[in-house]
Amino acid sequence: MQIFHHIASLRDALKTERLAGKRIGFVPTMGNLHAAHIELVKQAQQTNDIVVCSIFVNGLQFGLNEDWDKYPRTFEADCQRLRDAGCDFLFHPDDREMYPNGMDTQTRVICPTMTDVLCGASRPGHFEGVTTVVTKLFNIVQPDEAVFGVKDFQQLAVIRRMVEDLCMPVQITAGTIHREADGLAMSSRNGFITPEERPRANQLNKSLNWVAGQIRDGRRDFELLESEARAQIEAAGFRVDYLTVSDSRTLNPAAVDDTEITILGAMYTSGARLIDNVSVEL
Ligand code: PAF
């Protein structure tokens, strides 16, 4: 695996591959890679000749009181995992390479819908940071296809919308959610769950699945379902950020005749904010 810290050298290497007719797949990450990231790399390998992974903990998408400084940085272990997975290129820029004029004056990419609800409501500016850095990464890598995990359902929806609105020539592919044996969605933030909380940390997933089951069984009283599920999570000792039954496409509250529904949730453990979602097709 070749490692690049600079945009110019990555571009040179990719130009050679592109001229040789190779199709480029891309998996953007913030590192601290786990099995779910590696599955995204493997997914990208199936439909591309060259796979590029990026590791960049993007300060622009973290709020002032968020965990940018304590976000786990495990570069050597990440490299080993990517090598073992057969990843071709790794892009690992520093802040100066990505934001040479500073973050404050960086030109932004703003998606005006879907970004101030759910995760966007409790993380103002987060999606602007994501769409801006993903646009920059797309411009640097110019991939034919980019693969994003569906655990970040809202992020995936926002990126799809951005790509459509800005006519970006890249195919966006959703990777599946990978879970621990008890249903907890794999996440770089799971390392912040305490051993005492860990046996109960799958409650978010349990409650989302419970709501999905109730909907499949015919219930359409979504607001009541949401508050019942919230109560389950609180009873397990966690604070709920949001739990909503949403239209999968628009992320608006689901209507009773919707046929594609996603139940999305976020909850706080003592050290981490965890997100998850479950989709239902009726
Ligand atoms: O999902 C992530 O890890 C990040 O939001 C992304 C897409 C790499 C942008 O920084």
Side-chain angles (χ1 to χ4, degrees):
M1 181 176 72
Q2 292 182 60
I3 301 176
F4 301 88
H5 298 285
H6 298 289
I7 296 169
S9 50
L10 175 67
R11 277 194 171 142
D12 280 350
L14 283 170
K15 190 173 174 188
T16 309
E17 301 298 340
R18 223 172 271 114
L19 285 173
K22 303 278 174 66
R23 184 178 152 92
I24 314 289
F26 180 41
V27 180
T29 81
M30 297 203 299
N32 193 228
L33 304 183
H34 47 70
H37 292 112
I38 299 305
E39 287 305 316
L40 300 181
V41 170
K42 292 196 169 143
Q43 201 168 332
Q45 283 167 336
Q46 283 169 18
T47 43
N48 298 281
D49 303 306
I50 295 287
V51 172
V52 183
C53 179
S54 65
I55 295 180
F56 178 62
V57 186
N58 174 37
L60 204 62
Q61 69 188 71
F62 287 77
L64 280 182
N65 301 318
E66 292 186 348
D67 55 357
W68 180 84
D69 50 341
K70 70 173 178 128
Y71 198 86
R73 285 148 173 95
T74 52
F75 185 65
E76 291 309 324
D78 292 349
C79 286
Q80 196 50 53
R81 274 181 169 268
L82 290 171
R83 270 190 210 103
D84 293 346
C87 182
D88 302 289
F89 292 173
L90 170 60
F91 180 47
H92 183 238
D94 64 12
D95 284 351
R96 200 138 24 119
E97 188 70 5
M98 287 302 282
Y99 297 117
N101 300 318
M103 282 200 287
D104 292 346
T105 57
Q106 166 67 44
T107 301
R108 311 289 174 117
V109 177
I110 297 168
C111 178
T113 63
M114 298 187 288
T115 47
D116 56 0
V117 294
L118 309 173
C119 286
S122 51
R123 304 187 69 188
H126 167 68
F127 285 109
E128 187 176 314
V130 172
T131 44
T132 299
V133 81
V134 169
T135 299
K136 291 181 70 117
L137 290 167
F138 282 178
N139 285 338
I140 293 164
V141 177
Q142 298 181 25
D144 296 284
E145 179 179 5
V147 186
F148 291 85
V150 84
K151 179 175 75 68
D152 297 282
F153 191 92
Q154 186 176 9
Q155 170 173 280
L156 183 62
V158 168
I159 288 170
R160 280 191 197 285
R161 179 63 194 260
M162 171 187 85
V163 163
E164 188 182 340
D165 283 354
L166 298 181
C167 310
M168 293 179 169
V170 52
Q171 175 191 335
I172 303 298
T173 300
T176 47
I177 302 185
H178 288 268
R179 300 186 178 281
E180 304 293 350
D182 67 350
L184 176 70
M186 288 186 189
S187 163
S188 300
R189 290 188 170 93
N190 287 357
F192 297 136
I193 303 171
T194 64
E196 186 276 317
E197 289 168 331
R198 177 61 191 86
R200 295 174 281 123
N202 63 347
Q203 184 61 49
L204 177 59
N205 179 245
K206 277 186 175 168
S207 294
L208 297 178
N209 277 322
W210 177 79
V211 174
Q214 298 289 307
I215 293 173
R216 283 192 198 99
D217 287 347
R219 275 184 69 177
R220 292 292 180 273
D221 48 348
F222 298 141
E223 284 184 20
L224 186 58
L225 275 175
E226 288 168 0
S227 63
E228 287 172 10
R230 275 194 209 108
Q232 293 171 4
I233 294 169
E234 280 157 14
F238 300 109
R239 186 162 65 84
V240 178
D241 180 2
Y242 63 81
L243 194 145
T244 65
V245 179
S246 302
D247 176 315
S248 303
R249 218 172 27 84
T250 61
L251 301 185
N252 288 333
V256 287
D257 56 352
D258 275 346
T259 54
E260 289 182 31
I261 287 178
T262 300
I263 307 116
L264 300 107
M267 72 171 199
Y268 294 96
T269 68
S270 58
R273 180 176 172 281
L274 305 180
I275 61 172
D276 200 352
N277 64 85
V278 171
S279 290
V280 185
E281 289 198 16
L282 298 162

